[in-house]
Amino acid sequence: MASKKVLIVYAHQSSGSFNSAAKDAAVEVLTAKGCTVEVSDLYAMKFKATATAEDITGKVKNADHFCYGEETKLAWEAGKLTADITEEQSKLTEADLVIFQFPMYWFTVPAIMKGWMDRVLTLGFAFTHEKRYSQGIFKDKKAMLSFTTGSQESMFSANGINGDMNVTLWPLQNGILHYCGFQVLAPQIFWAPSHVPSEARGTMLEGWRTRMQGLLGEHPLAFTPLDCFDGEKGYQLKPEVHEKHAAKEFGLTVGIHLGKALPPNNQMKAGV
């Protein structure tokens, strides 16, 4: 792990929070292992969450019919994105691993972190039509989610009232991280730390510290490669892929399940 660069994109308002403690533990352990760690503290930075024409310096191509994706692609190519975006893009370009540290809000990331994703992962810089998923621009980088929940683990189960956490994670891990090509490491989930004794929170943090000792050597989660889909037929799975998995009990992934049972823990553990 020596000389590796880690970017922690952190979203919590309080330095006294469990999320802050998890972020600090990551900085401490990874730095001690020889990594260069940089933290983007989004609330402290007052990072703008909304994706607007203000993200571009100078004139836009079509002000009457503004298309954020196309306009920011042109601005990125011309070096006309605002400084707050280009600074984060520079950090991301340098990083070998990106850790998103946050409290889960409404089954997803807080608005300020979603704004980071919307504004920093611009078309051209983070993805193109040709370069996405397993052929993505960031395929040599790793990324992961590290977050707290407000609900107990049992509530996020297949029989729980919140539903399967694997399903909850699919849009974030496949639709954002893997879409940009990242090798997605299994998430670090801190289940309802505000509802457990301080000793239990300490145990959670120790588990995180232990995991970080070998974090960059972990195998990523499995996603179906882009070449398994037929681009000329609406990116549907190729018939031979269907045939190969016809006799198997579970589908390929949570999102692409072939009408079969969802593979258990597919978005939470590598190698399952």
Side-chain angles (χ1 to χ4, degrees):
M1 292 176 75
S3 77
K4 294 289 186 180
K5 294 186 177 180
V6 180
L7 172 62
I8 301 176
V9 182
Y10 165 67
H12 199 286
Q13 305 90 333
S14 174
S15 60
S17 65
F18 185 92
N19 273 275
S20 180
K23 176 259 297 176
D24 290 345
V27 172
E28 181 184 330
V29 174
L30 294 172
T31 301
K33 290 191 69 66
C35 295
T36 301
V37 184
E38 189 159 17
V39 177
S40 288
D41 186 338
L42 300 184
Y43 286 107
M45 294 159 62
K46 294 182 170 57
F47 192 82
K48 184 169 83 78
T50 52
T52 68
E54 294 172 358
D55 295 340
I56 298 164
T57 60
K59 292 183 178 180
V60 299
K61 180 181 178 181
N62 189 343
D64 293 331
H65 185 65
F66 181 76
C67 174
Y68 189 84
E70 186 58 33
E71 293 284 4
T72 51
K73 178 178 183 289
L74 294 172
W76 170 70
E77 291 171 342
K80 292 184 177 180
L81 289 171
T82 54
D84 61 340
I85 295 176
T86 58
E87 286 168 13
E88 296 305 300
Q89 289 182 339
S90 295
K91 295 175 189 176
L92 187 49
T93 298
E94 292 291 317
D96 298 294
L97 167 67
V98 185
I99 300 172
F100 293 90
Q101 182 65 56
F102 60 96
M104 181 169 272
Y105 282 6
W106 297 112
F107 288 39
T108 188
V109 297
I112 198 168
M113 182 172 281
K114 181 57 164 58
W116 187 96
M117 294 169 171
D118 289 348
R119 298 178 65 229
V120 175
L121 302 177
T122 55
L123 177 61
F125 168 71
F127 67 96
T128 67
H129 180 75
E130 296 78 21
K131 296 180 180 180
R132 51 183 170 162
Y133 290 120
S134 58
Q135 301 300 319
I137 289 171
F138 299 143
K139 62 181 184 292
D140 295 327
K141 300 179 184 295
K142 295 182 178 182
M144 68 174 294
L145 306 177
S146 175
F147 62 94
T148 58
T149 68
S151 300
Q152 301 164 355
E153 184 174 3
S154 61
M155 295 170 70
F156 273 110
S157 66
N159 294 319
I161 191 168
N162 291 349
D164 191 339
M165 177 60 88
N166 294 281
V167 175
T168 299
L169 291 173
W170 177 256
L172 292 171
Q173 294 187 155
N174 179 75
I176 299 176
L177 301 182
H178 178 53
Y179 191 89
C180 293
F182 284 111
Q183 300 172 48
V184 185
L185 300 183
Q188 182 72 23
I189 307 176
F190 302 104
W191 300 102
S194 62
H195 299 301
V196 300
S198 59
E199 296 81 7
R201 289 194 291 274
T203 300
M204 289 180 182
L205 287 174
E206 281 309 307
W208 178 220
R209 287 174 174 274
T210 299
R211 182 182 177 189
M212 280 186 289
Q213 296 295 330
L215 192 61
L216 277 163
E218 288 185 3
H219 290 292
L221 299 173
F223 294 91
T224 310
L226 189 63
D227 59 12
C228 289
F229 300 88
D230 191 336
E232 295 182 359
K233 296 182 178 179
Y235 285 95
Q236 294 289 294
L237 273 175
K238 294 176 179 177
E240 57 266 33
V241 180
H242 273 282
E243 293 169 13
K244 182 180 178 181
H245 292 272
K248 296 187 177 180
E249 180 182 2
F250 299 109
L252 290 168
T253 62
V254 167
I256 301 159
H257 49 83
L258 308 175
K260 299 175 181 287
L262 301 185
N265 290 325
N266 167 263
Q267 291 298 296
M268 294 170 69
K269 296 179 182 178
V272 297

